[in-house]
C-alpha cells in the first residue's frame, strides 16, 4: 500500500512510470495539478484513478498535509492563478512541494523553469530547505542564482538518466550548485545511481548506489 502518490505534471517522462504504480499497488491518495491538454497518458491516469476509486486532490499552493510522526508537506506551486509568463510552458505548472520533518526539509521542484522560480520568490514562498531536488533534471532552464540564494540548500540532488540525449545536467547549473553547496554535496542519479535520504528530524544521512 502506498499512502500518497504525487504526479508533478502530466508529461510523458513523469506520468508513464506512475501508471504502473497505480496498476500494481494499492494507492490511497493522489495529488496532481489540473490536467490541461488531453493525451493518451492523461486519459489513462484519470481512468485508473476513477476506476480504482483512488482519493484525488488537485494541487494548489497553500495546501498543507500533516502526516503521522510530524512530517509536514506543503504545496508551493502551482498557484491558484498562473501569471502569463508561467502559462507559457506547462513545466511551470508542476507541483512544488516542501517536505519537512523537525529541522530537516526537502524542496521538490518538479520541472519548473525561471518564470515559476521567480514567481515563487515574488510570492515569498517558504523555499529555504536543507535539500534541493534540482528542477528539470538539471536543465539550464532552471535553478537560477536568485532561486538558489533563497533556497540556500546544504545538499542538492539531480534526477537525470545516464547519457541522456538532452545533455542534462547543464554545466552552468552544476557550477552554480558546486559554488552553493560544495562539490561533495551534489548528488546525481546518472553518476551515483539511487540517492536515498534518511533523517530523524535532527540528522541527515545519504545513501547512494543501485
Amino acid at each position: 500500500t502506498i499512502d500518497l502518490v504525487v504526479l508533478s505534471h502530466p508529461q510523458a517522462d513523469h506520468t508513464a512510470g506512475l501508471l504502473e504504480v497505480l496498476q500494481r499497488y494499492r494507492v490511497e491518495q493522489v495529488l496532481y495539478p489540473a490536467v490541461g491538454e488531453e493525451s493518451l497518458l492523461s486519459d489513462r491516469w484519470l481512468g485508473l484513478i476513477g476506476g480504482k476509486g483512488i482519493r484525488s486532490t488537485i494541487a494548489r499552493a497553500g495546501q498543507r498535509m500533516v502526516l503521522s510522526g510530524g512530517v509536514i508537506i506543503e504545496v508551493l506551486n502551482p498557484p491558484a492563478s498562473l501569471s502569463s509568463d508561467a502559462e507559457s510552458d506547462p513545466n511551470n505548472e508542476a507541483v512544488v512541494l516542501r517536505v519537512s520533518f523537525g529541522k530537516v526539509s526537502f524542496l521538490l521542484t518538479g520541472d519548473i523553469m525561471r518564470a515559476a522560480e521567480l514567481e515563487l520568490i515574488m510570492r515569498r514562498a517558504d523555499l529555504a530547505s536543507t535539500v534541493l531536488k534540482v528542477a528539470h533534471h538539471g536543465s539550464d532552464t532552471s535553478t537560477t542564482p536568485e532561486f538558489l540564494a533563497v533556497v540556500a540548500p546544504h545538499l542538492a540532488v539531480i534526477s537525470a538518466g545516464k547519457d541522456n540525449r538532452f545533455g542534462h545536467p547543464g554545466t552552468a547549473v552544476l557550477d552554480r550548485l558546486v559554488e552553493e553547496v560544495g562539490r561533495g554535496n551534489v548528488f546525481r542519479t546518472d553518476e551515483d545511481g539511487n540517492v536515498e535520504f534518511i533523517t530523524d528530524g535532527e540528522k541527515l544521512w545519504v545513501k547512494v548506489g543501485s
Side-chain angles (χ1 to χ4, degrees):
T1 299
I2 298 176
D3 293 330
L4 175 66
V5 165
V6 179
L7 171 64
S8 61
H9 57 301
Q11 289 188 334
D13 59 328
H14 292 256
T15 307
L18 288 184
L19 295 176
E20 289 297 318
V21 171
L22 296 188
Q23 289 174 327
R24 294 187 183 193
Y25 300 95
R26 177 181 174 181
V27 175
E28 298 288 352
Q29 183 177 3
V30 292
L31 176 72
Y32 62 98
V35 175
E37 297 181 6
E38 293 185 2
S39 69
L40 179 60
L41 287 176
S42 294
D43 290 345
R44 287 184 62 196
W45 168 261
L46 295 174
L48 283 168
I49 291 171
K52 290 179 171 287
I54 302 171
R55 187 157 51 101
S56 62
T57 302
I58 301 299
R60 283 286 180 249
Q63 294 165 335
R64 191 171 188 266
M65 292 167 274
V66 181
L67 308 183
S68 60
V71 175
I72 299 172
I73 301 176
E74 300 168 274
V75 180
L76 305 183
N77 198 66
S81 58
L82 296 170
S83 69
S84 57
D85 285 341
E87 288 174 350
S88 65
D89 194 298
N91 284 327
N92 286 319
E93 300 178 39
V95 177
V96 174
L97 300 179
R98 186 175 186 271
V99 182
S100 58
F101 179 43
K103 298 178 180 179
V104 180
S105 53
F106 303 82
L107 188 65
L108 312 177
T109 55
D111 273 3
I112 62 169
M113 302 166 72
R114 293 184 185 91
E117 290 182 349
L118 178 60
E119 187 165 313
L120 284 166
I121 293 171
M122 292 178 65
R123 284 196 277 115
R124 298 183 181 276
D126 186 7
L127 298 172
S129 300
T130 313
V131 179
L132 170 65
K133 197 291 294 179
V134 177
H136 206 182
H137 317 286
S139 167
D140 291 334
T141 62
S142 314
T143 318
T144 59
E146 296 82 2
F147 189 72
L148 264 181
V150 176
V151 178
H154 298 285
L155 299 94
V157 60
I158 302 169
S159 176
K162 188 174 182 179
D163 299 324
N164 66 87
R165 63 188 176 92
F166 301 102
H168 299 333
T171 302
V173 171
L174 286 172
D175 288 345
R176 286 198 290 273
L177 290 170
V178 168
E179 183 177 355
E180 180 71 27
V181 304
R183 190 171 302 278
N185 292 323
V186 178
F187 299 91
R188 302 167 48 171
T189 60
D190 60 330
E191 293 184 347
D192 299 314
N194 292 333
V195 182
E196 181 181 1
F197 294 95
I198 304 165
T199 182
D200 59 2
E202 292 284 338
K203 298 179 181 179
L204 179 67
W205 295 268
V206 185
K207 293 175 61 178
V208 299
S210 58

